[in-house]
Amino acid sequence: MKPRALLFDWDNTLVDSWGVIHAALHETFTAMGHRPWTLEECKQRVRTSAREAFPKLFGDRGAEAMEIFYEAYGKSHLTVLAPLPGAQQLLHELTNAGYHLGIVSNKAGELLRPEVAAIGWELYFSAVIGANDAPADKPAPDAPAMALGAMGIEASEEVWFVGDTDIDMHCAVEIGCLPVLLRDEPPRSGEFADCRPRIHVDSCPALQGLIFGKEVCRS
């Protein structure tokens, strides 16, 4: 089945942002007197939004930690933003073919939308929903429901929810969309439990090739 519409995660699905996320978390953890995570620990542990994660990490100092994190992140995120290989070509081809596209991210909406604008991708998306925009963030269905409402699309398996983490796959299942895992590494045994991806592709060109039925070079 070909999709009618696609919802994309943002960080490390369409753009490479681990460097700036790790740097901002390092500054935050240090300021809060915690051992900073390594880059690999960040990749394994960063899933939920800051408003969900920071109270669990820092207790009643969660709001203070968020202020530190957002200030640190805001210093450089627009200058180091890097699209993943083939992402722009994928979005361009999907838009030209008439697909409805949206973003649903656990990055704060006030940071997300400037990033989309900074690389000139606003024309591709009819909805850009980040953390704090909906009553609850991923994996709750509120944010994708808001995006689909703005797109004029109902949730179904004709909507592919594309992301790189278990949070994205769980969110897809919660809202009733088709979960599509986009990352180099295939699903590990037992990783996704009851939200196993229905499709796995290792890159944006691979997803483009799957949808349009032709091989696309990874560049």
Side-chain angles (χ1 to χ4, degrees):
M1 183 187 296
K2 293 294 180 72
R4 179 185 178 197
L6 296 96
L7 295 176
F8 287 93
D9 175 47
W10 181 245
D11 292 309
N12 309 301
T13 296
L14 294 174
V15 298
D16 181 0
S17 53
W18 278 124
V20 67
I21 291 172
H22 179 234
L25 283 174
H26 189 283
E27 187 170 331
T28 304
F29 276 62
T30 301
M32 300 299 288
H34 289 229
R35 179 188 68 82
W37 289 346
T38 65
L39 177 59
E40 188 58 35
E41 286 174 323
C42 285
K43 291 180 178 181
Q44 294 298 320
R45 297 175 182 178
V46 173
R47 294 290 184 269
T48 55
S49 64
R51 73 168 169 177
E52 297 285 343
F54 277 28
K56 298 174 184 177
L57 288 169
F58 304 109
D60 58 8
R61 298 182 69 194
E64 178 187 352
M66 277 195 286
E67 289 184 11
I68 296 169
F69 175 80
Y70 286 134
E71 182 178 356
Y73 188 88
K75 292 175 185 175
S76 61
H77 72 121
L78 296 180
T79 61
V80 300
L81 197 64
L84 286 173
Q88 182 157 358
Q89 183 183 357
L90 167 66
L91 298 175
H92 180 75
E93 291 295 324
L94 289 170
T95 300
N96 280 352
Y99 287 95
H100 300 274
L101 307 179
I103 295 173
V104 180
S105 172
N106 270 345
K107 173 174 285 175
E110 63 189 29
L111 296 173
L112 172 65
R113 284 180 284 276
E115 290 188 357
V116 176
I119 52 178
W121 286 2
E122 318 101 292
L123 72 164
Y124 297 134
F125 301 104
S126 49
V128 178
I129 306 299
N132 310 321
D133 291 334
D137 305 319
K138 294 188 299 185
D142 305 59
M146 179 180 287
L148 291 174
M151 296 162 67
I153 301 287
E154 293 186 3
S156 75
E157 291 200 347
E158 289 185 293
V159 179
W160 289 14
F161 197 121
V162 184
D164 67 315
T165 70
D166 55 335
I167 289 288
D168 299 310
M169 302 302 98
H170 185 80
C171 193
V173 172
E174 282 290 303
I175 191 88
C177 298
L178 190 82
V180 178
L181 183 67
L182 194 163
R183 70 180 193 194
D184 279 333
E185 182 186 2
R188 298 184 297 274
S189 177
E191 179 181 6
F192 293 98
D194 59 350
C195 58
R196 188 171 179 82
R198 296 274 292 279
I199 295 171
H200 167 245
V201 289
D202 65 3
S203 64
C204 290
L207 179 60
Q208 183 179 338
L210 177 65
I211 293 172
F212 292 100
K214 58 184 179 181
E215 185 174 351
V216 179
C217 292
R218 187 171 184 169
S219 60

